[in-house]
């Protein structure tokens, strides 16, 4: 009788350990985190601008959240959502020497689907990323009769990062380039405008 009880207990313990290991294995496939960083906006015109207009760009900031799912040993899928404060647009000098500004994506939310390939399993491991980015402007209401909206954009993001594993968290600085594909212009004074940016992002997971 004791042998039967011992067998049942050992079987139950083995099953519990196996179940816990499987649970940890599934949970290890998922990671959640947040990021913050800076970006530099690049606005490009396909056509020549009027003589009294010029493009400007500058530094902005971004803040977001993300998830990572391990598809294979070194291959990860990472959807992200980031609020971006950007500085870009076209400044026009009027005939009375006053200036008017057409701002491009002063505030946007970016929905990204990045695929990451990580090199190695060491505490410090570089990785590459590539994926689409849907950029939605958040200033849809024109502030005055001289202000114009921006169209949503679809971009391709690519970049490099460096994952650093610490005891309590993972820190991964990342350099990205976002290549805008669509015409985001809604100002009749201009024609085809495409928006690109370069970002330095610090990921914590």
């Amino acid at each position: 009788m004791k042998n039967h009880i011992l067998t049942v207990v050992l079987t139950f313990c083995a099953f519990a350990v196996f179940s816990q290991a499987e649970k940890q294995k599934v949970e290890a496939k998922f990671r959640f985190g947040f990021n913050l960083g800076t970006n530099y906006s690049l606005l490009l015109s396909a056509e020549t601008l009027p003589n009294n207009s010029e493009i400007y760009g500058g530094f902005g900031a971004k803040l977001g959240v993300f998830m990572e799912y391990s598809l294979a040993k070194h291959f990860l899928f990472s959807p992200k959502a980031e609020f971006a404060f950007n500085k870009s647009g076209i400044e026009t000098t009027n005939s009375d020497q006053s200036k008017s500004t057409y701002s491009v994506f002063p505030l946007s939310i970016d929905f990204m689907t990045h695929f990451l390939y990580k090199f190695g399993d060491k505490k410090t491991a570089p990785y590459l990323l590539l994926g689409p980015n849907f950029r939605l402007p958040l200033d849809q209401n024109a502030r005055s009769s001289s202000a114009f909206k921006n169209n949503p954009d679809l971009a391709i993001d690519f970049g490099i990062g460096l994952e650093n594993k610490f005891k309590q968290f993972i820190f991964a600085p990342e350099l990205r380039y976002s290549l805008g594909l669509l015409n985001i212009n809604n100002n009749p004074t201009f024609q085809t405008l495409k928006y690109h940016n370069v970002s330095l992002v610090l990921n914590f997971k």
Side-chain angles (χ1 to χ4, degrees), residues 117-120 124-128 161-163:
Y117 184 81
K118 188 168 61 172
F119 297 91
T124 299
Y127 62 87
L128 301 176
L162 187 65
E163 185 177 273

Side-chain angles (χ1 to χ4, degrees), residues 39-74:
N39 59 43
Y40 189 87
S41 297
L42 301 165
L43 186 63
L44 304 176
S45 175
E47 295 82 23
T48 303
L49 294 178
N51 292 332
N52 61 336
S53 299
E54 60 179 11
I55 289 174
Y56 68 86
F59 287 98
K62 56 175 51 186
L63 175 68
V65 292
F66 65 89
M67 183 200 81
E68 282 185 0
Y69 178 74
S70 180
L71 297 172
K73 187 175 182 181
H74 299 293

Side-chain angles (χ1 to χ4, degrees), residues 112-115 129-134 155-159 177-178:
M112 292 157 279
T113 303
H114 290 162
F115 293 91
L129 71 89
L130 177 70
N133 179 351
F134 178 70
I156 295 295
D157 293 352
F158 53 91
Y177 191 91
S178 185

Side-chain angles (χ1 to χ4, degrees), residues 44-198:
L44 304 176
S45 175
E47 295 82 23
T48 303
L49 294 178
N51 292 332
N52 61 336
S53 299
E54 60 179 11
I55 289 174
Y56 68 86
F59 287 98
K62 56 175 51 186
L63 175 68
V65 292
F66 65 89
M67 183 200 81
E68 282 185 0
Y69 178 74
S70 180
L71 297 172
K73 187 175 182 181
H74 299 293
F75 192 54
L76 298 95
F77 165 71
S78 181
K80 300 179 174 81
E82 295 177 358
F83 284 104
F85 301 87
N86 309 303
K87 184 179 180 181
S88 69
I90 298 178
E91 187 176 76
T92 300
T93 303
N94 303 311
S95 56
D96 61 357
Q97 299 307 306
S98 64
K99 295 183 183 294
S100 57
T101 300
Y102 173 43
S103 297
V104 172
F105 292 133
L107 177 62
S108 67
I109 182 168
D110 298 359
F111 297 100
M112 292 157 279
T113 303
H114 290 162
F115 293 91
L116 283 64
Y117 184 81
K118 188 168 61 172
F119 297 91
D121 293 318
K122 296 181 179 180
K123 287 188 175 182
T124 299
Y127 62 87
L128 301 176
L129 71 89
L130 177 70
N133 179 351
F134 178 70
R135 185 174 290 113
L136 183 67
L138 295 182
D139 59 328
Q140 287 297 318
N141 296 321
R143 292 181 296 274
S144 69
S145 60
S146 62
F148 296 93
K149 302 175 184 178
N150 305 133
N151 293 323
D153 194 16
L154 179 65
I156 295 295
D157 293 352
F158 53 91
I160 57 173
L162 187 65
E163 185 177 273
N164 301 274
K165 295 180 180 178
F166 296 97
K167 189 174 181 179
Q168 301 295 334
F169 65 95
I170 296 174
F171 171 63
E174 191 175 280
L175 184 64
R176 298 184 210 146
Y177 191 91
S178 185
L179 179 70
L181 303 176
L182 304 181
N183 178 20
I184 52 83
N185 178 44
N186 241 336
N187 186 333
T189 305
F190 313 111
Q191 298 182 53
T192 306
L193 297 175
K194 293 188 177 181
Y195 176 80
H196 302 182
N197 71 33
V198 182

